[in-house]
Amino acid sequence: MRKTCLDVVYDLAKQDERVVFIGSDLGAGTLDQFRDEMPDRFFMEGVSEQNLIGMAAGLAMEGFIPYVNTIATFITRRCYEQLAVDLCLHNLPVKLIANGGGLVYAPLGPTHLAIEDMAILRALPRMSIFAPCDREEMTRLVPQTLDMTGPCYIRLAKGGDEVVSEAERGFEIGKAIQMRKPGKVLIIGTGITTTRALHAAEELEGQGIDCGVLHMHTVKPLDEAAILSQLDGVELLVTVEEHTLVGGLGSAVGDLLLDKAPNAVSRLVHLGIPDIFADKYGTQDELLEYYGLQGFQIAQRIRDTLKGEGAQVA
Amino acid sequence: MINFAALEHEAHSVYEPLALDRRSRDLRRLVVRGLVGGGRGHLGSALSAIEIVRVLYDDIMAHQPDQPEWAERDRFLLSKGHGCLSQYAILADHGYFRMGELDRFCRFDGILGGHPDAGKVPGVEASTGALGHGPSIAVGMAIAAKLKGAAHRIFCVTGDGEINEGSVWEAAMAAGKHKLDNLTIIVDYNKLQSYDRTEVVQDLEPLTSKWESFGFAVRNVDGHDVEGLRRTFSSLPFADGRPSAVIAHTIKSRGVAHAEGDPAWHHKSKMTTEEIDGVLAAIEGEG
C-alpha cells in the first residue's frame, strides 16, 4: 500500500510541477526514480518532523503541493502544533502520508503504534482523514487529493492487505461506500477493519443474519448522509476501527447519532482498542485478535449482542 | 562601536544607546496607540523590534502596500508573533490598512489580534504566535523561490526566548543544507524573555558561533541603529550560498526609559491613563 501510494505521488509529480515530495529519513531506495528524474522537487530532510511540516507549509503558501511522508505516529504526535497552526489554520494543501497506521508496527511496541492518530487529527478544523482499505483503493484516492484545498492525512495499512475494494463501486472523497446492503445489522468500518467487517458479515450470512457493511475511507469529513440513510430497519449498529475507542470512527458515528438520530438504532456496539498502551508485541493480526477485532470475533460479538448478551449502549 | 569582547552575556550594554529620531518615536507612539486600543499588549517585545521592521519596510524590502500579494514582494515573517504591535505600526504607517485599526487592537471584531493573523491582516504572510514556527515556513518559502527562479527574499524575525524551541534549529539545519542565501533570520536579541534574562532561563551564548555552525553567515548589529541596520541589510546575502543571520542587539522596551530591561514590561495590561501618559512622555524624551 505504501509503495502504491508513493507510486501515485510520483505519477502526479510527473504530470504537475506543483507537486513536491518531502520525506524524513525513509528507507533506502524510497522513490529513487522520483529523486533521479525530479531532483529539485524531492526532499529528504531528516528526522525533524516539525521542520518538515513548517517547510511544507512555506512551500504550499507559495503555490506548491507537498506530499509529506513519514511514520504515522511521528507525523501526528511529534509535530501536532505545526499541523494545527501551519497547515490547518492556514488551510494549506499539504498531504500527510502516514506509514503504519494503527497496529502495523506491532513488533516495535507502543512508541510506534498510531492508535490515536485519527482522534487527535479529527480535533483539528479543516483536516481531512483518509484510511483506504487496500492498495486498489489507494490508487483511486491519491489522485483525488491533488486539488484538495486543505490539509489531509492518508493512513497507510501494512501492505499486502487483502483487496476487497471494487472499482465498480466508485470512489469519491467524503463519500462512504456500501460494501454490503444493510440487514438488521450494519457494520461501519474504516481502513482494514472494513475487510474484517466483511469477513464477519460473510460468516453471519451463513447463519441467517443479514449484515451490511459501510466503508468509511474518509473518516473526516464524515459522510453523515450515507450513515443516516442506511439505518432503516437496522437493529444493531456496529463500528469497528483499528484505533483507540477514544475519539475515532466510533466516536464520530456516536456524535452523529446523538446530534441527528438519537432514536434511530436500538443497539450500538463500539469496537476498537481500549484506552491503554499496548502491552504485547507480535504481529498486527495478533494484536487485532488480542483486541477482538478480527472478523470471527466481530461476528461472535454481533451474535452475542443479538441474543441479548454482551454490552449494550442505547 | 561594538565591543566584541563584551558581546557574550553583556551584549545589551555593548552599544551606546542612540537618540531615537522623529520616525522611530512616531512608530513607538503607534505601538502605544494599539496598546491603548486593546487595553493590553506585549509592549516590551514590540519596542525592541521597531528599528528592525522600520528599516526593512522603509529601505530594504520590495513591497507594495496597495498590493500585499504582489508576487515579487520580499516576504516578511514575524515569527515572534507576540511582538505584533511593531509590525502593525509599520504596516499601518505604510498604508496596508487604516490607522484606526490600531484603536481596535484585540477587540472582538478587529482585524489586529494579539498575534498576527494572515487571514485578516493585509501584509501578514503567516499567522504566528506559537513560537518556533516562522523559520521552517521561511525555509519552505525560500526553497519555493529557488524552485521558481524568483529573486525575492525572505526575512524572518525571531525572538531570543523563541529560539529555545528546537524547531528553530531544525529549520536552521535545513537552511544551511539547502544553501538558502535568499533567507535572512533576524534575532531580536533583547536578552530578556518572559520570566527573566535569557542568560538565566536558557543561555543562548555563544550565539554567533551557534548560527555559524548551522551554516549561516552572521553579523551582529545594534538593533536600534537605523544607519547600522541599513548597512547590514544592504550587504545581504553576507555570503553566497549561505543563509544569513543578523543578531540584532536590542533593548527590551527601548524608548521607554523606566521600562527598559524590566521583565515586568514584557506584556502589559490594565494600564492607567497616567501610566500611558508616562510612556508617551518617555518616548518623546528620547528625542
Side-chain angles (χ1 to χ4, degrees), chain A residues 2 23-27 49 52 68-79 97-101 105 108 111-114 117 153-154 156:
Chain A
R2 184 179 66 85
S24 57
D25 183 27
L26 303 173
E49 292 81 5
L52 255 58
V68 184
N69 179 212
T70 188
I71 289 174
T73 189
F74 307 136
I75 208 172
T76 52
R77 291 177 185 161
R78 189 56 175 254
C79 47
I97 301 172
N99 296 351
Y105 288 123
L108 304 184
T111 58
H112 281 58
L113 300 183
D117 53 340
Y153 176 75
I154 303 171
L156 298 184

Side-chain angles (χ1 to χ4, degrees), chain B residues 1-281:
Chain B
M1 282 297 292
I2 189 166
N3 175 1
F4 279 99
L7 253 184
E8 296 188 7
H9 297 139
E10 297 300 331
H12 151 357
S13 59
V14 297
Y15 297 100
E16 280 298 317
L18 303 170
L20 299 177
D21 66 10
R22 181 74 259 163
R23 180 152 177 73
S24 277
R25 299 200 305 276
D26 285 347
L27 288 169
R28 282 179 168 78
R29 294 177 65 86
L30 291 180
V31 168
V32 176
R33 181 170 172 177
L35 187 81
V36 172
R40 62 187 303 125
H42 286 87
L43 183 67
S45 313
L47 294 183
S48 70
I50 288 293
E51 280 68 37
I52 296 169
V53 297
R54 167 188 168 178
V55 172
L56 287 173
Y57 279 86
D58 285 4
D59 306 310
I60 302 298
M61 294 198 301
H63 67 115
Q64 298 186 355
D66 57 343
Q67 289 187 73
E69 307 286 316
W70 177 46
E72 294 169 42
R73 72 193 183 281
D74 288 324
R75 273 60 164 171
F76 176 85
L77 295 164
L78 186 69
S79 193
K80 49 168 282 186
H82 58 286
C84 57
L85 279 169
S86 64
Q87 190 182 12
Y88 295 162
I90 196 74
L91 289 175
D93 176 80
H94 276 267
Y96 277 85
F97 47 79
R98 292 185 314 108
M99 200 66 84
E101 291 295 342
L102 292 169
D103 302 325
R104 304 198 302 146
F105 176 60
C106 289
R107 298 288 180 90
F108 178 73
D109 57 354
I111 64 168
L112 306 179
H115 296 92
D117 187 327
K120 291 187 174 146
V121 188
V124 169
E125 300 278 355
S127 302
T128 55
L131 294 175
H133 290 234
S136 290
I137 294 173
V139 164
M141 288 180 158
I143 290 172
K146 296 263 184 193
L147 286 174
K148 292 176 177 176
H152 65 259
R153 302 171 294 174
I154 291 85
F155 295 89
C156 176
V157 175
T158 75
D160 46 17
E162 177 178 16
I163 64 175
N164 297 167
E165 291 281 8
S167 57
V168 170
W169 302 101
E170 292 184 6
M173 272 194 284
K177 168 189 168 181
H178 291 291
K179 307 183 191 310
L180 299 176
D181 53 11
N182 54 353
L183 168 67
T184 302
I185 303 277
I186 301 139
V187 181
D188 179 1
Y189 197 14
N190 59 37
K191 324 290 182 312
L192 273 183
Q193 47 197 114
S194 180
Y195 178 72
D196 202 340
R197 290 164 55 88
T198 54
E199 177 191 3
V200 173
V201 178
Q202 184 61 277
D203 196 1
L204 302 172
E205 294 296 344
L207 192 53
T208 299
S209 58
K210 267 196 184 69
W211 286 101
E212 284 175 342
S213 71
F214 281 77
F216 282 69
V218 186
R219 299 263 177 97
N220 284 269
V221 63
D222 177 348
H224 299 299
D225 175 1
V226 171
E227 277 306 317
L229 285 165
R230 282 185 190 133
R231 279 196 306 276
T232 302
F233 290 138
S234 295
S235 58
L236 288 167
F238 301 145
D240 287 339
R242 293 171 70 187
S244 301
V246 174
I247 300 176
H249 295 267
T250 56
I251 297 169
K252 199 149 184 169
S253 300
R254 175 70 186 112
V256 181
H258 58 279
E260 287 182 4
D262 181 354
W265 288 76
H266 171 78
H267 180 269
K268 271 293 185 186
S269 61
K270 298 175 182 162
M271 291 179 74
T272 64
T273 306
E274 290 72 28
E275 285 176 308
I276 294 294
D277 288 345
V279 166
L280 290 170

